[in-house]
Amino acid sequence: SWLDDVPGVGEATKMKLIRAFRSPLKVREATGEELAAAAGKAAAKRILAWLETGRTGQNPGEHPDADRG
């Protein structure tokens, strides 16, 4: 999943996030507080920063699953 591409987020953190949110999409949709509760503040900051830079191949703020019609 895209979580594999986030620097500083290892296997244990990914597993915590998947257990908490059930899918990578739900992780992407989570708030910073929700991410921090599931995996810690440092991981939450890394994930949010990575998503905000558009490193997912999308423009920042663009939902990756949006229908492109």
Side-chain angles (χ1 to χ4, degrees):
S1 78
W2 63 270
L3 286 167
D4 295 322
D5 297 332
V6 181
V9 174
E11 236 5 84
T13 300
K14 286 186 281 186
M15 294 309 296
K16 287 180 189 177
L17 291 165
I18 296 300
R19 276 195 297 271
F21 297 104
R22 303 285 186 220
S23 76
L25 177 59
K26 295 292 185 187
V27 174
R28 186 186 299 270
E29 294 173 343
T31 66
E33 287 182 6
E34 291 169 332
L35 292 170
K41 288 182 182 180
K45 286 181 182 181
R46 285 185 194 107
I47 292 166
L48 291 173
W50 189 85
L51 289 170
E52 289 172 6
T53 63
R55 297 293 301 261
T56 60
Q58 308 297 324
N59 293 325
E62 182 181 343
H63 195 282
D65 298 322
D67 182 55
R68 298 188 186 273

